[in-house]
Amino acid sequence: MRVVITAAAKADLLAIRRTIGADNPTRALSFVEELLDRCLALADTPRAYPLVPRYERFGIRRCVHGNYLIFYRLQPEQIEIIHVLQGARDIEALLFGFP
């Protein structure tokens, strides 16, 4: 199955790189690569991770990588990476537009 990273997820990865890079540019690059590798690995087991509780109707799943969460949705022919977010952020507001 093909993995597609949305513009929003790419912006998330860039923000993560900038944030970590302020203290450690080398680690910022390697960590973003880890996140990308984790995203691509979803192609092997796309249903291995749970749907987001209370929001199953949206079909969004969540994969954890350290303190970060990879949100994705299964499509007929691809996996769509929606967001990559630090776990302490207001996930509901960012994903679903709820305050």
Side-chain angles (χ1 to χ4, degrees):
M1 194 172 262
R2 183 171 76 113
V3 176
V4 174
I5 300 174
T6 65
K10 288 177 184 177
D12 294 337
L13 291 167
L14 183 58
I16 292 166
R17 186 174 135 194
R18 271 193 242 118
T19 300
I20 295 172
D23 293 325
N24 188 338
T26 303
R27 180 60 183 139
L29 288 173
S30 67
F31 187 68
V32 168
E33 286 200 20
E34 285 176 29
L35 288 168
L36 283 169
D37 288 345
R38 185 70 163 217
C39 289
L40 296 175
L42 291 170
D44 297 328
T45 55
R47 297 187 193 286
Y49 299 96
L51 291 166
V52 176
R54 298 185 329 163
Y55 300 102
E56 292 88 353
R57 69 186 178 278
F58 293 102
I60 297 174
R61 295 177 181 270
R62 169 179 64 207
C63 171
V64 177
H65 183 78
N67 293 331
Y68 289 80
L69 305 170
I70 300 167
F71 293 93
Y72 67 100
R73 181 181 3 234
L74 299 179
Q75 301 292 346
E77 299 294 322
Q78 66 189 24
I79 297 167
E80 180 182 40
I81 307 298
I82 299 168
H83 275 289
V84 181
L85 303 170
Q86 207 280 337
R89 297 196 57 193
D90 185 355
I91 303 301
E92 286 188 35
L94 291 166
L95 286 179
F96 307 107
F98 302 137

